[in-house]
Amino acid sequence: MGAVGKLRGSDHLRYEDSLSPRDISILMLILGIEGTAWNLSAGIISETEIIAEAESTYVPGEGSGIHPREAAQHHAAEIKAVIKEVFEKASAKGITPADLDGIAFSQGPGMGPCLRTVATAARTLSIKLGIPLLGVNHCIAHIEVGKWLCDLKDPVTLYVSGANSQVLAYRAGRYRIFGETLDIGIGNALDKFARGVGLSHPGGPKIEVFASTSRRYIPLPYVVKGMDFSFSGLTTAAINATRKNPLEDVCYSLQETAFAMLTEVTERALAHCEKDEVLLVGGVGANRRLAEMVEDMCMARGAAFSVPPKNVLKDNGIMIAYTGHLLLSAGKTLQIEESKVIPDYRPDEVDIVWMK
Ligand code: AMP
Ligand code: MG
């Protein structure tokens, strides 16, 4: 194991075609498993490149949101096939399970039944292969993979996913949460609105399409309290607004309001921390209007704006593997007895030993 090379640029993920036997023996190779909510995903990385990935996504029934037990049953039924597929893809590049140096998994935050399914698989693989287990905080994995793929040093991060919405920045050994949602995540808010108006899950991309055809703003509740934001009342007000207004106009207004709230808090964190990079991560980061608003704010402040490629924006095994590699490099492995899942694991509980 050794430090090899420098990493790729922000807008193209480089996948290693094949590694030489020498590379395989000196590079740190990690398998990461993600399954905190609806996406079950496994990724293998070396410390310099993405090697392989495989995933299987749980789709909630018509008109319903993610059901934790059903999602966990999906993960339990699919995990063998997902791991098999990622190993097959890696073997095409000359890598076998015996070459791995560690097994990383999402320890939290997330849905308890889903987390437990993934943790069981990770413990089993760690014991079977005789290699260390690495417990990863899911939110931190989003930040770290974004920093890696976008070549950033010390950004303010806007993390916007289904369950989570936070503005974070590194200070004195930890990622501090400068602002966060007081109720539901922005992704869940969009999905809830979509369900309320008869659109299927996931709602975010459909709302984006409707919104793109309107420029008519309907006032909706803009709720920023201190550095925190709230989406629950906004979602209900938007659903009610569809009774008297075209869906396109409500989608547009919902996006403009919610994204302005997120951009305002990100801007204030950036000003407070005096940093000069902003990173957008999480599934909602795929929204072009949100990226445009945050980028405009960054340009006005002279900060660099980055958003990683789409397949690592949403929940994915690559980010877990990459953060596992940072943990292993710092010697932070997990004993089986300490590997209990943490459904309410907050990113500011984790010592960021690799940044010191
Ligand atoms: P994650 O929890 O990070 O996997 O992200 C999933 C969330 O991202 C879901 O709530 C989706 O509705 C949302 N999402 C995905 N694509 C978009 C988009 N283009 N615009 C807004 N939300 C999106
Ligand atoms: Mg996530």
Side-chain angles (χ1 to χ4, degrees):
M1 293 187 271
V4 178
K6 190 60 190 125
L7 312 170
R8 68 295 52 250
S10 56
D11 39 25
H12 32 264
L13 282 182
R14 261 188 54 203
Y15 288 82
E16 195 58 61
D17 291 333
S18 64
L19 291 170
S20 70
R22 184 174 171 279
D23 284 344
I24 292 171
S25 69
I26 60 169
L27 284 170
M28 189 187 281
L29 293 163
I30 308 286
L31 167 69
I33 317 174
E34 157 61 31
T36 52
W38 64 323
N39 200 30
L40 174 69
S41 167
I44 297 178
I45 61 129
S46 75
E47 57 213 84
T48 56
E49 302 294 343
I50 294 167
I51 307 284
E53 58 186 319
E55 67 176 8
S56 172
T57 304
Y58 154 78
V59 183
E62 196 65 36
S64 77
I66 301 175
H67 190 297
R69 203 185 53 237
E70 277 181 14
Q73 279 164 355
H74 163 270
H75 295 357
E78 293 290 317
I79 192 135
K80 208 173 145 191
V82 167
I83 302 282
K84 188 165 171 256
E85 186 182 335
V86 83
F87 278 150
E88 274 168 10
K89 287 181 175 167
S91 85
K93 296 172 182 178
I95 292 162
T96 69
D99 297 315
L100 292 178
D101 297 290
I103 305 290
F105 72 104
S106 281
Q107 204 173 1
M111 297 175 174
C114 299
L115 292 171
R116 284 191 286 277
T117 305
V118 165
T120 305
R123 288 184 201 110
T124 310
L125 280 166
S126 159
I127 294 167
K128 188 161 186 280
L129 297 171
I131 53 177
L133 189 61
L134 304 149
V136 172
N137 178 289
H138 174 96
C139 313
I140 288 177
H142 273 291
I143 301 174
E144 290 299 346
V145 83
K147 281 167 60 187
W148 184 42
L149 296 172
C150 299
D151 253 330
L152 303 180
K153 285 195 176 58
D154 187 16
V156 169
T157 300
L158 173 58
Y159 167 39
V160 277
S161 71
N164 304 294
S165 296
Q166 292 171 329
V167 175
L168 308 108
Y170 177 83
R171 190 164 266 194
R174 292 195 178 190
Y175 285 111
R176 312 288 167 177
I177 302 167
F178 282 80
E180 64 186 316
T181 181
L182 295 168
D183 41 49
I184 53 175
I186 176 65
N188 283 357
L190 296 172
D191 296 339
K192 198 171 144 197
F193 168 80
R195 260 199 319 282
V197 300
L199 300 172
S200 62
H201 188 90
K206 288 152 203 145
I207 293 167
E208 180 171 19
V209 173
F210 279 107
S212 68
T213 63
S214 167
R215 285 289 173 278
R216 182 175 160 253
Y217 184 73
I218 303 156
L220 291 172
Y222 182 101
V223 189
V224 173
K225 295 181 182 172
M227 287 290 280
D228 295 325
F229 27 80
S230 153
F231 296 115
S232 189
L234 168 62
T235 308
T236 307
I239 293 171
N240 291 340
T242 59
R243 293 204 203 109
K244 291 193 183 148
N245 297 281
L247 183 58
E248 290 79 358
D249 295 348
V250 181
C251 289
Y252 171 73
S253 307
L254 173 59
Q255 282 201 168
E256 293 301 302
T257 309
F259 297 167
M261 287 157 53
L262 293 165
T263 307
E264 179 194 329
V265 175
T266 308
E267 178 169 22
R268 282 203 265 138
L270 188 63
H272 176 76
C273 298
E274 298 182 341
K275 297 194 195 272
D276 56 8
E277 297 168 330
V278 171
L279 172 65
L280 175 62
V281 295
V284 185
N287 188 293
R288 269 164 298 172
R289 178 61 184 142
L290 174 60
E292 185 182 62
M293 282 168 85
V294 180
E295 184 166 25
D296 285 351
M297 178 277 285
C298 287
M299 275 170 72
R301 292 207 149 262
F305 171 73
S306 300
V307 53
K310 225 170 168 176
N311 65 327
V312 294
L313 267 182
K314 61 176 189 179
D315 295 348
N316 65 90
I318 290 164
M319 69 182 192
I320 305 302
Y322 179 69
T323 312
H325 136 73
L326 295 174
L327 286 164
L328 186 57
S329 305
K332 293 270 279 184
T333 61
L334 208 59
Q335 297 305 308
I336 298 282
E337 314 80 78
E338 321 167 304
S339 66
K340 257 173 73 173
V341 302
I342 313 169
D344 58 354
Y345 201 4
R346 287 177 65 77
D348 55 3
E349 289 175 55
V350 182
D351 282 322
I352 309 301
V353 281
W354 54 88
M355 274 194 60
K356 282 179 183 154

